[in-house]
Amino acid sequence: MYFAALLARTEDGWEASDTELDDVETLSDLADLAREASPEDDTVLVLIEQEDAWFGVVRVDGEEDPRIYVSDAAAAARSAYGELLLTDELLGREPGADDVPDLDALDLDGTEDGESDSEDDDEEEGGSADAVPHSPVGDSEILDDLGIGQKELRALDADDALSSIAEALGASEVLETVR
């Protein structure tokens, strides 16, 4: 289960709306969805939580590039919605780098028939485990100007993070109406 909501800052305060992410395929699609939630170029926050395992915040300010914070990259990587947020840039990878090995670069040394070369297996397992960290990634200062500092954001538990963020913004009532 996941929960996703848009919080749009207006001159009258925060407005919340729940949103379905099933038709969102890219971060650009998500940013466009956020921009549609605000007729002006006001700040829009996309808040996503997945089964109390991780949460993410995407901040869209007008036409600027979205800013992203994810509480646990490894947990988010196991989620289709988390994969939207975990861009190559956010994970410190070369843009466009694939996890699929180049077939021309494969060393076909006879172990491909089910025999195991334990040294190679250990190296491969270690490399893939390090690819996505079990820690927060992204812009931890994403909510600084809204009253939630880096330390407070990193200290939030996934099970109540969105409620804590909304409370700090003065938007807890509007968020609860769409929950």
Side-chain angles (χ1 to χ4, degrees):
M1 289 290 300
Y2 78 95
F3 171 73
L6 300 173
L7 280 180
R9 185 165 61 177
T10 67
E11 59 187 40
D12 298 327
W14 291 95
E15 292 181 7
S17 58
D18 63 338
T19 187
E20 279 292 321
L21 299 179
D22 294 340
D23 296 331
V24 176
E25 295 180 8
T26 65
L27 182 58
S28 293
D29 293 344
L30 187 61
D32 289 344
L33 182 69
R35 288 183 184 104
E36 290 172 10
S38 175
E40 305 294 320
D41 285 341
D42 293 325
T43 298
V44 179
L45 301 176
V46 181
L47 305 174
I48 303 171
E49 86 182 348
Q50 180 94 30
E51 296 178 359
D52 300 333
W54 65 274
F55 71 92
V57 178
V58 178
R59 179 177 177 156
V60 178
D61 293 301
E63 292 300 316
E64 292 181 27
D65 288 339
R67 296 167 57 192
I68 305 165
Y69 175 82
V70 176
S71 67
D72 183 337
R78 293 187 296 270
S79 159
Y81 303 114
E83 288 179 352
L84 285 172
L85 307 180
L86 297 175
T87 63
D88 288 336
E89 181 182 344
L90 195 68
L91 295 172
R93 296 181 188 158
E94 275 298 312
D98 291 336
D99 291 336
V100 180
D102 181 7
L103 292 178
D104 294 332
L106 288 177
D107 180 17
L108 301 177
D109 61 0
T111 61
E112 62 273 2
D113 291 328
E115 297 174 25
S116 176
D117 186 353
S118 61
E119 287 181 29
D120 288 345
D121 289 348
D122 291 344
E123 288 175 19
E124 288 175 18
E125 288 174 17
S128 64
D130 294 336
V132 181
H134 284 279
S135 62
V137 295
D139 184 354
S140 58
E141 298 174 352
I142 191 169
L143 301 173
D144 273 359
D145 64 325
L146 300 174
I148 302 170
Q150 178 177 338
K151 285 183 181 179
E152 293 87 1
L153 186 61
R154 287 180 171 263
L156 293 175
D157 288 326
D159 60 342
D160 66 348
L162 299 191
S163 297
S164 297
I165 290 170
E167 186 176 319
L169 299 174
S172 56
E173 288 182 24
V174 294
L175 182 65
E176 287 305 314
T177 62
V178 298
R179 240 189 217 275

